[in-house]
Amino acid sequence: MTAPADHAAQHEPVETIYNGQWLRMMRRGHWEYAERTHGKGMAVIIVAVTPDDNVLFVEQFRVPLNARTIEMPAGLVGDDHAHDTLESAAARELIEETGWEPRKVEVLLTGPTSAGMSSERIAFVRATDLHRIGPGGGVAGEDIVVHEVPRAQAPAWLMARQAEGYELDLKLWAGLWMIERNPDGSVVGGDRAPDR
């Protein structure tokens, strides 16, 4: 439950504490938080499986963690393209990061990534009917390594990477769940959750 002091903050004016190229620090009442400066604070995370039933993961060095991370392909909406939609951003980012182009993208769910620290929201997007059109690796300076992992082995593979010292984006497990299920729990292409 929200503390009364925090609830009262919604009526306080918003103050910009710091304004950077990609992020700004804001204050509302006593609460400080980060806000993206581009694309209305939206990002996409792409759940994608190749025709050979391999889940697409990306590995890259993340400066805030000072470590290499394993994530699903993702990117900002509207950072370089003013007329971006969630779908067009997801398709573009999947191609840039992995070299796989989807023929279909479907927005599944949108919500906050870290509601106590940031106003950023992210959309889970399922990309299907993939075909390879390039090597991936990201745009200049991203140095992204693409991993194609058999779906049945993906959780164990992720835990092995964690044991090696990689940071794992916790949204990975939500993404794995959404390969087979819709946000309401129904099976993709069916009407009930699978028996397990």
Side-chain angles (χ1 to χ4, degrees):
M1 187 163 181
T2 305
D6 293 338
H7 187 66
Q10 69 181 334
H11 302 292
E12 297 285 336
V14 177
E15 171 190 4
T16 301
I17 301 169
Y18 168 77
N19 208 1
Q21 181 178 357
W22 298 101
L23 295 173
R24 57 182 156 245
M25 287 295 299
M26 310 298 289
R27 180 185 296 127
R28 184 188 296 265
H30 74 281
W31 202 274
E32 296 175 352
Y33 59 96
E35 184 174 89
R36 290 202 181 274
T37 60
H38 293 65
K40 300 180 183 176
M42 282 296 302
V44 289
I45 183 169
I46 304 110
V47 180
V49 179
T50 71
D52 293 330
D53 206 32
N54 293 324
V55 182
L56 293 175
F57 297 119
V58 293
E59 169 192 332
Q60 59 187 313
F61 182 80
R62 291 297 197 179
V63 173
L65 297 174
N66 197 34
R68 294 198 72 78
T69 67
I70 305 292
E71 308 166 10
M72 284 184 165
L76 300 178
V77 179
D79 58 339
D80 292 325
H81 304 44
H83 300 293
D84 251 355
T85 64
L86 297 175
E87 294 87 353
S88 65
R92 180 187 68 250
E93 293 292 340
L94 187 64
I95 294 166
E96 287 177 1
E97 294 190 2
T98 70
W100 287 91
E101 180 178 50
R103 290 188 175 95
K104 181 180 178 186
V105 290
E106 175 187 9
V107 176
L108 302 175
L109 192 65
T110 301
T113 56
S114 182
M117 191 192 84
S118 171
S119 64
E120 180 187 56
R121 287 178 175 80
I122 194 161
F124 273 94
V125 177
R126 186 185 296 126
T128 54
D129 196 7
L130 306 184
H131 62 284
R132 186 185 290 281
I133 62 168
V139 295
E142 285 187 317
D143 189 28
I144 291 172
V145 177
V146 181
H147 296 282
E148 298 182 16
V149 180
R151 182 173 13 166
Q153 300 169 20
W157 182 86
L158 288 169
M159 296 313 295
R161 300 296 77 74
Q162 185 181 51
E164 293 171 0
Y166 288 87
E167 293 281 350
L168 303 182
D169 182 346
L170 295 181
K171 295 184 294 297
L172 287 165
W173 277 265
L176 289 173
W177 190 81
M178 289 188 198
I179 290 171
E180 297 178 352
R181 296 172 185 86
N182 296 307
D184 66 1
S186 62
V187 177
V188 174
D191 60 0
R192 66 181 191 87
D195 297 326
R196 296 277 168 143

Short mmCIF file of all heavy atoms in Angstrom, two decimals, residues 100-154:
data_model
loop_
_atom_site.label_atom_id
_atom_site.label_comp_id
_atom_site.label_asym_id
_atom_site.label_seq_id
_atom_site.Cartn_x
_atom_site.Cartn_y
_atom_site.Cartn_z
N TRP A 100 17.78 -11.35 -37.55
CA TRP A 100 16.54 -12.05 -37.90
C TRP A 100 15.42 -11.02 -38.10
O TRP A 100 15.22 -10.15 -37.26
CB TRP A 100 16.14 -13.02 -36.80
CG TRP A 100 16.98 -14.25 -36.74
CD1 TRP A 100 18.12 -14.43 -35.99
CD2 TRP A 100 16.77 -15.47 -37.43
NE1 TRP A 100 18.62 -15.68 -36.18
CE2 TRP A 100 17.82 -16.35 -37.06
CE3 TRP A 100 15.81 -15.92 -38.33
CZ2 TRP A 100 17.92 -17.65 -37.56
CZ3 TRP A 100 15.92 -17.20 -38.84
CH2 TRP A 100 16.96 -18.06 -38.46
N GLU A 101 14.69 -11.17 -39.22
CA GLU A 101 13.57 -10.28 -39.50
C GLU A 101 12.26 -11.03 -39.26
O GLU A 101 12.07 -12.14 -39.76
CB GLU A 101 13.61 -9.81 -40.95
CG GLU A 101 12.46 -8.88 -41.31
CD GLU A 101 12.55 -8.38 -42.73
OE1 GLU A 101 12.72 -9.21 -43.66
OE2 GLU A 101 12.46 -7.16 -42.93
N PRO A 102 11.33 -10.43 -38.50
CA PRO A 102 10.04 -11.08 -38.28
C PRO A 102 9.04 -10.67 -39.36
O PRO A 102 9.02 -9.52 -39.80
CB PRO A 102 9.61 -10.53 -36.92
CG PRO A 102 10.19 -9.14 -36.90
CD PRO A 102 11.49 -9.22 -37.67
N ARG A 103 8.20 -11.61 -39.74
CA ARG A 103 7.10 -11.26 -40.64
C ARG A 103 5.88 -10.83 -39.85
O ARG A 103 4.96 -10.23 -40.39
CB ARG A 103 6.77 -12.44 -41.55
CG ARG A 103 7.86 -12.70 -42.59
CD ARG A 103 7.44 -13.76 -43.61
NE ARG A 103 8.44 -13.91 -44.64
CZ ARG A 103 9.41 -14.82 -44.62
NH1 ARG A 103 9.52 -15.65 -43.60
NH2 ARG A 103 10.28 -14.89 -45.61
N LYS A 104 5.88 -11.14 -38.56
CA LYS A 104 4.76 -10.74 -37.71
C LYS A 104 5.30 -10.31 -36.35
O LYS A 104 6.16 -10.97 -35.77
CB LYS A 104 3.79 -11.91 -37.53
CG LYS A 104 2.58 -11.57 -36.67
CD LYS A 104 1.65 -12.75 -36.52
CE LYS A 104 0.48 -12.39 -35.61
NZ LYS A 104 -0.37 -13.55 -35.33
N VAL A 105 4.78 -9.19 -35.84
CA VAL A 105 5.09 -8.74 -34.48
C VAL A 105 3.77 -8.43 -33.77
O VAL A 105 2.85 -7.87 -34.37
CB VAL A 105 6.03 -7.51 -34.44
CG1 VAL A 105 7.43 -7.87 -34.90
CG2 VAL A 105 5.49 -6.37 -35.26
N GLU A 106 3.71 -8.84 -32.52
CA GLU A 106 2.47 -8.70 -31.75
C GLU A 106 2.81 -8.14 -30.37
O GLU A 106 3.59 -8.73 -29.63
CB GLU A 106 1.83 -10.08 -31.62
CG GLU A 106 0.62 -10.14 -30.76
CD GLU A 106 0.15 -11.58 -30.54
OE1 GLU A 106 0.85 -12.54 -30.91
OE2 GLU A 106 -0.95 -11.72 -29.98
N VAL A 107 2.25 -7.00 -30.04
CA VAL A 107 2.46 -6.41 -28.72
C VAL A 107 1.63 -7.22 -27.72
O VAL A 107 0.42 -7.39 -27.89
CB VAL A 107 2.06 -4.92 -28.69
CG1 VAL A 107 2.19 -4.36 -27.29
CG2 VAL A 107 2.91 -4.13 -29.68
N LEU A 108 2.29 -7.70 -26.67
CA LEU A 108 1.63 -8.55 -25.68
C LEU A 108 1.22 -7.80 -24.42
O LEU A 108 0.13 -8.01 -23.90
CB LEU A 108 2.55 -9.71 -25.29
CG LEU A 108 3.01 -10.61 -26.44
CD1 LEU A 108 4.01 -11.63 -25.92
CD2 LEU A 108 1.82 -11.29 -27.08
N LEU A 109 2.10 -6.94 -23.93
CA LEU A 109 1.88 -6.34 -22.62
C LEU A 109 2.80 -5.15 -22.46
O LEU A 109 3.95 -5.19 -22.91
CB LEU A 109 2.19 -7.39 -21.54
CG LEU A 109 1.78 -7.13 -20.10
CD1 LEU A 109 0.26 -7.07 -19.98
CD2 LEU A 109 2.32 -8.25 -19.21
N THR A 110 2.33 -4.10 -21.82
CA THR A 110 3.15 -2.92 -21.56
C THR A 110 3.07 -2.58 -20.08
O THR A 110 1.98 -2.63 -19.50
CB THR A 110 2.65 -1.72 -22.39
OG1 THR A 110 2.70 -2.07 -23.78
CG2 THR A 110 3.51 -0.49 -22.16
N GLY A 111 4.20 -2.24 -19.49
CA GLY A 111 4.20 -1.87 -18.08
C GLY A 111 5.55 -1.31 -17.65
O GLY A 111 6.51 -1.28 -18.43
N PRO A 112 5.65 -0.87 -16.40
CA PRO A 112 6.88 -0.26 -15.90
C PRO A 112 7.98 -1.30 -15.69
O PRO A 112 7.71 -2.47 -15.43
CB PRO A 112 6.46 0.35 -14.56
CG PRO A 112 5.28 -0.45 -14.13
CD PRO A 112 4.58 -0.88 -15.38
N THR A 113 9.22 -0.85 -15.83
CA THR A 113 10.36 -1.75 -15.62
C THR A 113 10.89 -1.69 -14.19
O THR A 113 11.33 -2.69 -13.66
CB THR A 113 11.51 -1.40 -16.58
OG1 THR A 113 11.86 -0.02 -16.41
CG2 THR A 113 11.11 -1.64 -18.01
N SER A 114 10.87 -0.52 -13.59
CA SER A 114 11.36 -0.35 -12.22
C SER A 114 10.65 0.86 -11.63
O SER A 114 11.19 1.95 -11.55
CB SER A 114 12.88 -0.15 -12.21
OG SER A 114 13.36 -0.02 -10.90
N ALA A 115 9.39 0.63 -11.21
CA ALA A 115 8.48 1.73 -10.89
C ALA A 115 8.94 2.62 -9.75
O ALA A 115 8.52 3.76 -9.65
CB ALA A 115 7.09 1.17 -10.57
N GLY A 116 9.81 2.14 -8.90
CA GLY A 116 10.31 2.96 -7.80
C GLY A 116 11.48 3.84 -8.18
O GLY A 116 11.86 4.73 -7.43
N MET A 117 12.09 3.60 -9.36
CA MET A 117 13.28 4.33 -9.75
C MET A 117 13.16 5.06 -11.08
O MET A 117 13.88 6.01 -11.34
CB MET A 117 14.47 3.37 -9.83
CG MET A 117 15.81 4.05 -9.96
SD MET A 117 17.11 2.89 -10.37
CE MET A 117 16.94 2.81 -12.14
N SER A 118 12.24 4.61 -11.93
CA SER A 118 12.20 5.15 -13.29
C SER A 118 10.75 5.21 -13.80
O SER A 118 9.92 4.39 -13.42
CB SER A 118 13.02 4.25 -14.21
OG SER A 118 12.85 4.60 -15.55
N SER A 119 10.50 6.16 -14.68
CA SER A 119 9.19 6.25 -15.33
C SER A 119 9.14 5.42 -16.60
O SER A 119 8.12 5.37 -17.27
CB SER A 119 8.86 7.71 -15.65
OG SER A 119 9.79 8.22 -16.60
N GLU A 120 10.24 4.73 -16.94
CA GLU A 120 10.29 3.94 -18.17
C GLU A 120 9.24 2.83 -18.16
O GLU A 120 9.00 2.18 -17.15
CB GLU A 120 11.67 3.30 -18.33
CG GLU A 120 11.78 2.45 -19.59
CD GLU A 120 13.08 1.69 -19.68
OE1 GLU A 120 13.39 0.92 -18.74
OE2 GLU A 120 13.79 1.86 -20.68
N ARG A 121 8.64 2.64 -19.33
CA ARG A 121 7.75 1.52 -19.55
C ARG A 121 8.31 0.68 -20.70
O ARG A 121 8.96 1.21 -21.59
CB ARG A 121 6.34 2.01 -19.90
CG ARG A 121 5.61 2.59 -18.71
CD ARG A 121 4.23 3.11 -19.10
NE ARG A 121 3.49 3.57 -17.93
CZ ARG A 121 3.67 4.74 -17.33
NH1 ARG A 121 4.58 5.59 -17.80
NH2 ARG A 121 2.95 5.08 -16.28
N ILE A 122 8.02 -0.60 -20.64
CA ILE A 122 8.50 -1.50 -21.67
C ILE A 122 7.35 -2.34 -22.19
O ILE A 122 6.42 -2.66 -21.44
CB ILE A 122 9.65 -2.39 -21.15
CG1 ILE A 122 10.38 -3.08 -22.29
CG2 ILE A 122 9.15 -3.40 -20.13
CD1 ILE A 122 11.75 -3.60 -21.93
N ALA A 123 7.39 -2.65 -23.47
CA ALA A 123 6.38 -3.50 -24.09
C ALA A 123 7.02 -4.83 -24.45
O ALA A 123 8.07 -4.86 -25.11
CB ALA A 123 5.81 -2.85 -25.35
N PHE A 124 6.40 -5.92 -24.01
CA PHE A 124 6.80 -7.24 -24.49
C PHE A 124 6.16 -7.43 -25.85
O PHE A 124 4.95 -7.26 -26.02
CB PHE A 124 6.31 -8.34 -23.55
CG PHE A 124 7.25 -8.63 -22.42
CD1 PHE A 124 7.08 -8.02 -21.19
CD2 PHE A 124 8.30 -9.53 -22.59
CE1 PHE A 124 7.94 -8.28 -20.15
CE2 PHE A 124 9.17 -9.79 -21.54
CZ PHE A 124 8.99 -9.17 -20.32
N VAL A 125 6.99 -7.80 -26.83
CA VAL A 125 6.52 -8.01 -28.20
C VAL A 125 6.94 -9.40 -28.63
O VAL A 125 8.10 -9.78 -28.47
CB VAL A 125 7.12 -6.94 -29.15
CG1 VAL A 125 6.69 -7.20 -30.59
CG2 VAL A 125 6.73 -5.54 -28.71
N ARG A 126 6.00 -10.17 -29.15
CA ARG A 126 6.33 -11.49 -29.69
C ARG A 126 6.57 -11.35 -31.18
O ARG A 126 5.70 -10.85 -31.92
CB ARG A 126 5.20 -12.48 -29.42
CG ARG A 126 5.54 -13.92 -29.82
CD ARG A 126 4.36 -14.88 -29.66
NE ARG A 126 3.94 -15.00 -28.28
CZ ARG A 126 2.69 -14.79 -27.85
NH1 ARG A 126 1.74 -14.43 -28.70
NH2 ARG A 126 2.39 -14.94 -26.59
N ALA A 127 7.74 -11.78 -31.64
CA ALA A 127 8.09 -11.74 -33.06
C ALA A 127 8.08 -13.16 -33.59
O ALA A 127 8.71 -14.05 -33.02
CB ALA A 127 9.47 -11.11 -33.24
N THR A 128 7.35 -13.38 -34.68
CA THR A 128 7.23 -14.73 -35.23
C THR A 128 7.47 -14.73 -36.73
O THR A 128 7.57 -13.69 -37.36
CB THR A 128 5.83 -15.32 -34.92
OG1 THR A 128 4.83 -14.41 -35.39
CG2 THR A 128 5.64 -15.54 -33.43
N ASP A 129 7.53 -15.95 -37.28
CA ASP A 129 7.78 -16.16 -38.70
C ASP A 129 9.09 -15.45 -39.10
O ASP A 129 9.11 -14.59 -39.98
CB ASP A 129 6.59 -15.68 -39.52
CG ASP A 129 6.60 -16.22 -40.95
OD1 ASP A 129 7.46 -17.09 -41.25
OD2 ASP A 129 5.77 -15.78 -41.76
N LEU A 130 10.16 -15.85 -38.44
CA LEU A 130 11.46 -15.20 -38.63
C LEU A 130 12.20 -15.74 -39.83
O LEU A 130 12.12 -16.93 -40.14
CB LEU A 130 12.34 -15.40 -37.39
CG LEU A 130 11.80 -15.00 -36.02
CD1 LEU A 130 12.88 -15.20 -34.97
CD2 LEU A 130 11.28 -13.58 -36.00
N HIS A 131 12.96 -14.88 -40.49
CA HIS A 131 13.92 -15.31 -41.50
C HIS A 131 15.17 -14.45 -41.35
O HIS A 131 15.10 -13.27 -41.04
CB HIS A 131 13.32 -15.26 -42.91
CG HIS A 131 12.92 -13.89 -43.36
ND1 HIS A 131 11.79 -13.26 -42.92
CD2 HIS A 131 13.52 -13.03 -44.22
CE1 HIS A 131 11.70 -12.06 -43.48
NE2 HIS A 131 12.74 -11.90 -44.28
N ARG A 132 16.31 -15.10 -41.56
CA ARG A 132 17.59 -14.41 -41.38
C ARG A 132 17.91 -13.54 -42.59
O ARG A 132 17.82 -14.01 -43.72
CB ARG A 132 18.72 -15.40 -41.14
CG ARG A 132 20.04 -14.71 -40.81
CD ARG A 132 21.18 -15.70 -40.70
NE ARG A 132 21.06 -16.53 -39.53
CZ ARG A 132 21.39 -16.15 -38.29
NH1 ARG A 132 21.81 -14.92 -38.07
NH2 ARG A 132 21.27 -16.98 -37.29
N ILE A 133 18.28 -12.28 -42.29
CA ILE A 133 18.65 -11.38 -43.39
C ILE A 133 20.03 -10.75 -43.17
O ILE A 133 20.50 -10.00 -44.02
CB ILE A 133 17.60 -10.27 -43.61
CG1 ILE A 133 17.47 -9.38 -42.38
CG2 ILE A 133 16.26 -10.88 -44.00
CD1 ILE A 133 16.67 -8.12 -42.64
N GLY A 134 20.67 -11.03 -42.02
CA GLY A 134 21.97 -10.44 -41.76
C GLY A 134 22.62 -11.06 -40.54
O GLY A 134 22.05 -11.96 -39.90
N PRO A 135 23.80 -10.56 -40.17
CA PRO A 135 24.55 -11.16 -39.07
C PRO A 135 24.14 -10.69 -37.68
O PRO A 135 24.47 -11.32 -36.68
CB PRO A 135 25.99 -10.74 -39.37
CG PRO A 135 25.84 -9.41 -40.05
CD PRO A 135 24.58 -9.54 -40.88
N GLY A 136 23.43 -9.55 -37.60
CA GLY A 136 23.13 -8.98 -36.28
C GLY A 136 24.37 -8.33 -35.69
O GLY A 136 25.28 -7.93 -36.40
N GLY A 137 24.38 -8.19 -34.39
CA GLY A 137 25.53 -7.57 -33.71
C GLY A 137 25.29 -6.14 -33.29
O GLY A 137 26.12 -5.55 -32.61
N GLY A 138 24.16 -5.56 -33.70
CA GLY A 138 23.84 -4.20 -33.29
C GLY A 138 24.43 -3.16 -34.21
O GLY A 138 25.06 -3.48 -35.21
N VAL A 139 24.21 -1.90 -33.84
CA VAL A 139 24.76 -0.78 -34.60
C VAL A 139 26.14 -0.46 -34.05
O VAL A 139 26.59 -1.07 -33.07
CB VAL A 139 23.82 0.44 -34.54
CG1 VAL A 139 22.51 0.12 -35.24
CG2 VAL A 139 23.55 0.88 -33.11
N ALA A 140 26.80 0.50 -34.66
CA ALA A 140 28.18 0.82 -34.30
C ALA A 140 28.36 1.01 -32.80
O ALA A 140 27.61 1.74 -32.16
CB ALA A 140 28.62 2.09 -35.03
N GLY A 141 29.32 0.30 -32.24
CA GLY A 141 29.67 0.45 -30.84
C GLY A 141 28.90 -0.44 -29.88
O GLY A 141 29.22 -0.49 -28.70
N GLU A 142 27.87 -1.17 -30.35
CA GLU A 142 27.08 -1.99 -29.42
C GLU A 142 27.76 -3.32 -29.08
O GLU A 142 27.61 -3.83 -27.99
CB GLU A 142 25.68 -2.25 -29.99
CG GLU A 142 24.78 -1.04 -29.87
CD GLU A 142 23.35 -1.34 -30.27
OE1 GLU A 142 23.11 -2.02 -31.28
OE2 GLU A 142 22.46 -0.85 -29.55
N ASP A 143 28.52 -3.90 -30.03
CA ASP A 143 29.27 -5.13 -29.76
C ASP A 143 28.38 -6.22 -29.15
O ASP A 143 28.67 -6.78 -28.10
CB ASP A 143 30.46 -4.82 -28.84
CG ASP A 143 31.40 -6.00 -28.69
OD1 ASP A 143 31.48 -6.82 -29.63
OD2 ASP A 143 32.03 -6.13 -27.63
N ILE A 144 27.28 -6.51 -29.83
CA ILE A 144 26.31 -7.50 -29.35
C ILE A 144 26.68 -8.88 -29.87
O ILE A 144 26.98 -9.05 -31.05
CB ILE A 144 24.89 -7.11 -29.80
CG1 ILE A 144 24.43 -5.85 -29.05
CG2 ILE A 144 23.90 -8.26 -29.58
CD1 ILE A 144 23.12 -5.28 -29.54
N VAL A 145 26.67 -9.85 -28.98
CA VAL A 145 26.86 -11.26 -29.34
C VAL A 145 25.49 -11.92 -29.32
O VAL A 145 24.75 -11.81 -28.34
CB VAL A 145 27.82 -11.97 -28.36
CG1 VAL A 145 27.94 -13.45 -28.70
CG2 VAL A 145 29.17 -11.29 -28.33
N VAL A 146 25.14 -12.60 -30.41
CA VAL A 146 23.84 -13.26 -30.52
C VAL A 146 23.99 -14.72 -30.07
O VAL A 146 24.93 -15.41 -30.47
CB VAL A 146 23.33 -13.22 -31.97
CG1 VAL A 146 21.96 -13.89 -32.07
CG2 VAL A 146 23.26 -11.79 -32.47
N HIS A 147 23.06 -15.17 -29.25
CA HIS A 147 23.02 -16.58 -28.83
C HIS A 147 21.69 -17.16 -29.28
O HIS A 147 20.63 -16.60 -28.98
CB HIS A 147 23.14 -16.70 -27.31
CG HIS A 147 24.45 -16.21 -26.78
ND1 HIS A 147 25.61 -16.96 -26.86
CD2 HIS A 147 24.79 -15.06 -26.16
CE1 HIS A 147 26.61 -16.29 -26.30
NE2 HIS A 147 26.13 -15.13 -25.88
N GLU A 148 21.74 -18.28 -29.99
CA GLU A 148 20.56 -19.02 -30.39
C GLU A 148 20.57 -20.31 -29.59
O GLU A 148 21.39 -21.19 -29.82
CB GLU A 148 20.58 -19.29 -31.89
CG GLU A 148 20.56 -18.01 -32.72
CD GLU A 148 20.53 -18.27 -34.21
OE1 GLU A 148 20.21 -19.42 -34.63
OE2 GLU A 148 20.81 -17.33 -34.97
N VAL A 149 19.64 -20.41 -28.63
CA VAL A 149 19.66 -21.50 -27.66
C VAL A 149 18.39 -22.34 -27.83
O VAL A 149 17.29 -21.79 -27.84
CB VAL A 149 19.74 -20.94 -26.22
CG1 VAL A 149 19.75 -22.06 -25.20
CG2 VAL A 149 20.96 -20.04 -26.07
N PRO A 150 18.54 -23.67 -27.95
CA PRO A 150 17.34 -24.51 -28.04
C PRO A 150 16.37 -24.21 -26.91
O PRO A 150 16.76 -24.10 -25.74
CB PRO A 150 17.90 -25.93 -27.94
CG PRO A 150 19.30 -25.81 -28.47
CD PRO A 150 19.78 -24.45 -28.02
N ARG A 151 15.11 -24.05 -27.26
CA ARG A 151 14.11 -23.60 -26.29
C ARG A 151 14.08 -24.48 -25.04
O ARG A 151 14.01 -23.98 -23.93
CB ARG A 151 12.73 -23.55 -26.94
CG ARG A 151 11.69 -23.04 -25.97
CD ARG A 151 10.32 -22.79 -26.48
NE ARG A 151 9.96 -23.29 -27.78
CZ ARG A 151 8.71 -23.35 -28.19
NH1 ARG A 151 7.72 -22.96 -27.40
NH2 ARG A 151 8.41 -23.80 -29.38
N ALA A 152 14.13 -25.79 -25.20
CA ALA A 152 14.05 -26.69 -24.05
C ALA A 152 15.23 -26.53 -23.11
O ALA A 152 15.13 -26.83 -21.92
CB ALA A 152 13.95 -28.14 -24.53
N GLN A 153 16.35 -26.04 -23.62
CA GLN A 153 17.56 -25.90 -22.81
C GLN A 153 17.77 -24.47 -22.29
O GLN A 153 18.71 -24.21 -21.55
CB GLN A 153 18.79 -26.32 -23.63
CG GLN A 153 18.75 -27.74 -24.11
CD GLN A 153 19.83 -28.04 -25.13
OE1 GLN A 153 20.82 -27.32 -25.23
NE2 GLN A 153 19.64 -29.08 -25.92
N ALA A 154 16.90 -23.55 -22.69
CA ALA A 154 17.14 -22.13 -22.39
C ALA A 154 17.28 -21.82 -20.91
O ALA A 154 18.24 -21.14 -20.52
CB ALA A 154 16.06 -21.27 -23.03
#
